[in-house]
Amino acid sequence: MDYSLANALRYNMQGIRRIINFYDVNCAYMRKLRQRVGNNEFLKFPTDMEIVPGIGIWHVHGHQPQCFSRYAPLYIEGAGWIDGEVIETLWSILNVVSASTRGMSSPHRQELLNFQMNDSNFMKMICMGRHLSAKWKNALSTSRAAGRAFDSLDSGVPEAERRHWMDMERAALNTQVDDPSAMDIFQLKTNKAASIRTVEMDLLGQHASSVETPQGTVTWLAQGLAIEESTIHVMKDQRSLKSTATDVQKLAVVRRMDRLSSDISKFIDAATAYMGSAIEDHDDTAADEAESEWEEQNDDPQSDLPLPFIHIPALPLPSSLGRRNCNEHGLAALADLELQLRIRQANDALHSIRFTLADKAVLFRTEVRHASNQSANTCAWGKVHQADTVLSRHAQIYKKCRKAMIALEADEILLERYKPLVDQDLKVTTAISNPNGSVHRMENLA
């Protein structure tokens, strides 16, 4: 590769001081290129020529995420709207004759492929004018569409921030060759929302010496939220039991329900120290009716099993009392603490939903669509159903969090951010996991 590149840069390159070099692994190849050439007495590079490394679109998506902004032609100034590939674009043509070469001998196969490539080169030569004209017309139309999409985005950016971004862009492009990591500013950066454990540690430090709430209030509330999640998981597992379930499977669920009932009893016993007389206003039947209604909506006739009935009472949390009752009993600080924990619990649920949807999309692309027989298809769909089960659990947790936010009278801005979860939000499209799709490259950012 060094020999080919060195000779190419010395052939008919008078007056050219900047070239763009595309190679499948340029991220590793270009690191010590000039050092290798400098140590070789037979290879010479023009000293005043700038070599901009690039990786073709087809290959760059198989690299690490940061390679896209560092080496993709879309981020190279002057590269234009190209794919940066040569041989790969001919595969569609060679695929036509690939089947006929399987039974050929090596000389016959080589002769056929040479004939096919010569024909391809000849057709390129005689059709070059027509294709370039069509590409020019397409470039004009798409540039206008891209300009309109960019203007719609640019119109909503403040002038000071626009100038700051332009300065950052120019600085990154100027140092792209010497420091490709400067192009990382074009990477999409998303900050993960704080989890419930992170906020719990922060609240423990803030309320260690608080006089508004007793010692251990944050831990008690966090335990209550964890018990609620365990209740949802146990109910889902109980409903998933079929008539063919073994005694071992039934016993495992009953034991979990018994442990859950014990944890709830301990939680209720400790509630008096944190809620005082307000616990007398706690309505246990309301939550049971809500859970019973939810059970009826998810009724499965095959899961009517003779399991022992274990009563799971509702938890005496500030959200079960409501903001008004909390204020009347002097529990406003306790309600605020639960609201903060509920927000982070909703963040965790949404994060899990997002990852489960991604796993489901991968299952469709790697398992379901490639199942070649009935056994593989059944196994693939079994994994999809397992993902659906996990998804429904996290969705139920999020709905419970939002219901608690409403009971705690969260402001409209917060409720607008944490919107109701609908069935459409839990559907996934596998198109987003195919970054090489030709359609996505033409989509506008707006």
Side-chain angles (χ1 to χ4, degrees):
M1 180 64 186
D2 293 348
Y3 177 81
S4 301
L5 181 61
N7 284 275
L9 295 181
R10 296 173 60 185
Y11 176 75
N12 198 21
M13 298 291 287
Q14 293 80 8
I16 298 177
R17 294 294 175 263
R18 183 176 185 268
I19 63 105
I20 302 176
N21 173 40
F22 287 100
Y23 186 40
D24 300 349
V25 289
N26 247 343
C27 52
Y29 174 73
M30 293 294 295
R31 290 179 181 176
K32 298 183 179 180
L33 175 63
R34 292 193 178 274
Q35 179 180 347
R36 293 196 306 270
V37 175
N39 296 334
N40 194 318
E41 58 179 334
F42 301 102
L43 301 179
K44 298 297 180 182
F45 273 179
T47 56
D48 57 345
M49 180 177 291
E50 181 184 22
I51 304 176
V52 182
I55 301 176
I57 287 293
W58 195 87
H59 286 91
V60 74
H61 287 296
H63 286 233
Q64 297 180 0
Q66 60 267 26
C67 287
F68 185 74
S69 60
R70 296 180 183 181
Y71 301 103
L74 299 176
Y75 294 89
I76 299 177
E77 190 175 19
W81 194 271
I82 60 174
D83 51 40
E85 307 288 359
V86 178
I87 299 298
E88 289 75 15
T89 58
L90 303 177
W91 285 352
S92 59
I93 302 175
L94 293 178
N95 286 339
V96 178
V97 299
S98 61
S100 60
T101 61
R102 295 174 182 173
M104 297 181 180
S105 61
S106 296
H108 190 187
R109 185 184 299 114
Q110 182 178 359
E111 182 180 359
L112 177 63
L113 293 178
N114 286 337
F115 174 81
Q116 186 71 21
M117 296 305 298
N118 288 333
D119 179 73
S120 175
N121 294 332
F122 177 74
M123 295 301 295
K124 287 180 183 179
M125 183 177 61
I126 64 175
C127 300
M128 186 179 300
R130 177 161 51 88
H131 284 302
L132 290 177
S133 177
K135 286 185 176 181
W136 170 253
K137 295 178 181 179
N138 183 56
L140 290 178
S141 61
T142 54
S143 64
R144 288 191 290 267
R148 289 191 297 268
F150 176 78
D151 292 339
S152 64
L153 290 174
D154 188 61
S155 60
V157 179
E159 182 62 29
E161 193 167 5
R162 182 188 296 108
R163 288 197 298 267
H164 176 62
W165 287 353
M166 293 178 65
D167 293 340
M168 293 175 60
E169 177 192 22
R170 179 49 49 193
L173 292 175
N174 290 338
T175 59
Q176 181 180 12
V177 177
D178 299 327
D179 183 17
S181 62
M183 300 295 292
D184 291 346
I185 62 172
F186 296 103
Q187 288 282 355
L188 179 63
K189 299 180 178 64
T190 56
N191 296 325
K192 182 181 177 182
S195 64
I196 188 172
R197 293 180 178 85
T198 303
V199 176
E200 182 182 354
M201 289 188 295
D202 295 339
L203 293 177
L204 284 173
Q206 296 174 7
H207 294 267
S209 58
S210 176
V211 296
E212 296 181 354
T213 56
Q215 186 73 22
T217 301
V218 177
T219 302
W220 176 75
L221 288 173
Q223 290 175 351
L225 270 58
I227 291 175
E228 280 189 349
E229 293 186 9
S230 299
T231 303
I232 293 176
H233 292 313
V234 170
M235 286 185 174
K236 288 285 187 179
D237 291 338
Q238 192 272 337
R239 301 300 298 179
S240 64
L241 286 177
K242 303 299 181 181
S243 57
T244 57
T246 63
D247 292 338
V248 175
Q249 293 173 330
K250 297 177 185 178
L251 181 60
V253 174
V254 173
R255 285 177 175 174
R256 291 178 59 191
M257 296 176 67
D258 184 59
R259 287 195 299 268
L260 179 62
S261 180
S262 176
D263 293 339
I264 293 177
S265 299
K266 295 178 182 178
F267 181 84
I268 294 176
D269 293 339
T272 307
Y274 303 102
M275 299 185 65
S277 60
I279 195 174
E280 299 176 359
D281 297 337
H282 170 61
D283 187 7
D284 189 11
T285 60
D288 287 343
E289 291 175 357
E291 296 295 346
S292 300
E293 181 182 356
W294 175 78
E295 288 289 336
E296 291 176 1
Q297 293 175 355
N298 296 272
D299 188 25
D300 185 359
Q302 296 182 353
S303 62
D304 293 335
L305 302 175
L307 292 177
F309 175 77
I310 298 179
H311 176 65
I312 300 180
L315 299 181
L317 290 168
S319 57
S320 62
L321 298 178
R323 171 65 72 168
R324 182 177 301 177
N325 289 334
C326 289
N327 293 338
E328 292 177 356
H329 291 84
L331 300 177
L334 190 65
D336 293 336
L337 287 177
E338 184 187 356
L339 180 59
Q340 295 184 53
L341 292 174
R342 289 289 186 182
I343 294 173
R344 274 61 187 190
Q345 187 184 29
N347 291 338
D348 291 345
L350 291 175
H351 181 74
S352 300
I353 289 174
R354 187 180 298 112
F355 269 81
T356 306
L357 288 175
D359 290 339
K360 189 176 177 181
V362 172
L363 285 174
F364 272 106
R365 285 187 56 82
T366 60
E367 300 283 347
V368 176
R369 295 182 181 177
H370 295 282
S372 57
N373 51 58
Q374 183 66 27
S375 176
N377 186 63
T378 303
C379 181
W381 277 105
K383 295 180 180 180
V384 173
H385 293 325
Q386 290 178 1
D388 286 334
T389 302
V390 175
L391 189 63
S392 64
R393 297 185 182 192
H394 294 306
Q396 188 69 21
I397 293 173
Y398 175 79
K399 292 177 181 178
K400 203 171 189 67
C401 289
R402 194 176 189 279
K403 183 179 179 181
M405 292 180 190
I406 296 175
L408 295 172
E409 297 183 2
D411 55 58
E412 294 296 331
I413 298 177
L414 185 63
L415 294 179
E416 179 64 23
R417 180 181 181 184
Y418 296 93
K419 298 181 180 180
L421 200 63
V422 297
D423 294 339
Q424 188 65 27
D425 298 329
L426 302 180
K427 294 182 179 179
V428 62
T429 171
T430 58
I432 59 175
S433 63
N434 182 17
N436 293 327
S438 58
V439 179
H440 305 291
R441 199 171 174 219
M442 301 298 295
E443 289 181 350
N444 295 332
L445 292 177

